[in-house]
Amino acid sequence: MVAQDFLTAKMGHAFDLLDTDGDGVLTEADHVLMGRRAAKELNHAPQSPQEEALVDAYRRAWQQAHQQNADSEGKLTRSVYVGSVRDLFGDAALTDQVCDRILDSVMDVADVDGKGEITPDAYRAFVLGQSPSLARDDVAESFKRIDRNGNGVISKSELKQAVVEYFTSSEPQAPGNWLFGPPPVTV
């Protein structure tokens, strides 16, 4: 597979997983649904403070990562998403700046114990909140690949490395390709 095709396939795969209601556009409502699903995975009661905190963290991720590229109705199409992700990750300085803000929001969601790291259970809840159709074995494999130092938790720097790798690496065996579960192609 040509490198650009592989990157486009990964970006499209990410969009499909983030489009939680399957309507072909990414919206704030998708992010709210992700927050509610993640809260359910973590056994937080509906409308509890814990659920609302997760929903708020997902809303911040929408606002910081995608809202500026949405249309006047707050909808982000797949093609605009892929284009904006390419633009973002094509500029190293912008990638660093935006990625840090987005990862702060991700850590707000996934770092459930406030220790600055993501445990396997929290990672599972985070990933299945976004993509409930992923197999739990695939989520566990994803965790192992992103936990590069093998200490049983994912640090913010390991997560950042995986995010950047997912959206920039044309190397099929790169561990970051597992950021959203199995890559969209056989590696």
Side-chain angles (χ1 to χ4, degrees):
M1 177 177 272
V2 177
Q4 240 1 31
D5 292 342
F6 182 54
L7 287 172
T8 301
K10 290 192 296 181
M11 291 174 194
H13 178 66
F15 179 89
D16 292 343
L17 293 174
L18 296 174
D19 178 18
T20 55
D21 60 12
D23 65 355
V25 292
L26 193 56
T27 64
E28 184 174 338
D30 288 308
H31 285 70
V32 169
L33 183 55
M34 286 181 236
R36 296 205 189 292
R37 287 177 177 170
K40 185 177 179 181
E41 282 291 324
L42 291 166
N43 297 313
H44 297 315
Q47 279 92 47
S48 68
Q50 296 89 347
E51 182 195 56
E52 291 308 312
L54 285 171
V55 168
D56 287 346
Y58 274 97
R59 275 195 185 108
R60 281 192 304 279
W62 162 257
Q63 292 162 354
Q64 293 174 3
H66 306 298
Q67 188 172 32
Q68 71 275 9
N69 296 309
D71 65 18
S72 62
E73 296 178 5
K75 297 177 179 178
L76 183 64
T77 64
R78 182 187 183 110
S79 62
V80 171
Y81 172 84
V82 169
S84 64
V85 168
R86 274 193 199 287
D87 290 346
L88 169 64
F89 286 94
D91 180 333
L94 185 60
T95 296
D96 204 43
Q97 176 189 24
V98 173
C99 209
D100 282 340
R101 283 197 328 255
I102 294 167
L103 289 176
D104 286 343
S105 293
V106 170
M107 293 301 286
D108 286 347
V109 172
D111 177 16
V112 295
D113 59 10
K115 293 183 177 179
E117 55 197 21
I118 304 169
T119 65
D121 287 342
Y123 183 77
R124 178 189 40 77
F126 172 68
V127 171
L128 293 176
Q130 294 180 38
S131 312
S133 63
L134 287 177
R136 289 180 185 268
D137 287 347
D138 289 339
V139 175
E141 180 64 25
S142 175
F143 184 91
K144 283 194 286 187
R145 290 178 185 242
I146 294 170
D147 177 20
R148 294 186 189 227
N149 65 8
N151 69 345
V153 294
I154 296 173
S155 67
K156 184 178 176 182
S157 64
E158 286 173 319
L159 186 58
K160 183 176 183 177
Q161 185 177 4
V163 168
V164 171
E165 203 167 62
Y166 185 89
F167 290 107
T168 63
S169 177
S170 58
E171 174 55 49
Q173 299 300 324
N177 290 338
W178 279 76
L179 181 65
F180 295 100
V185 293
T186 304
V187 292

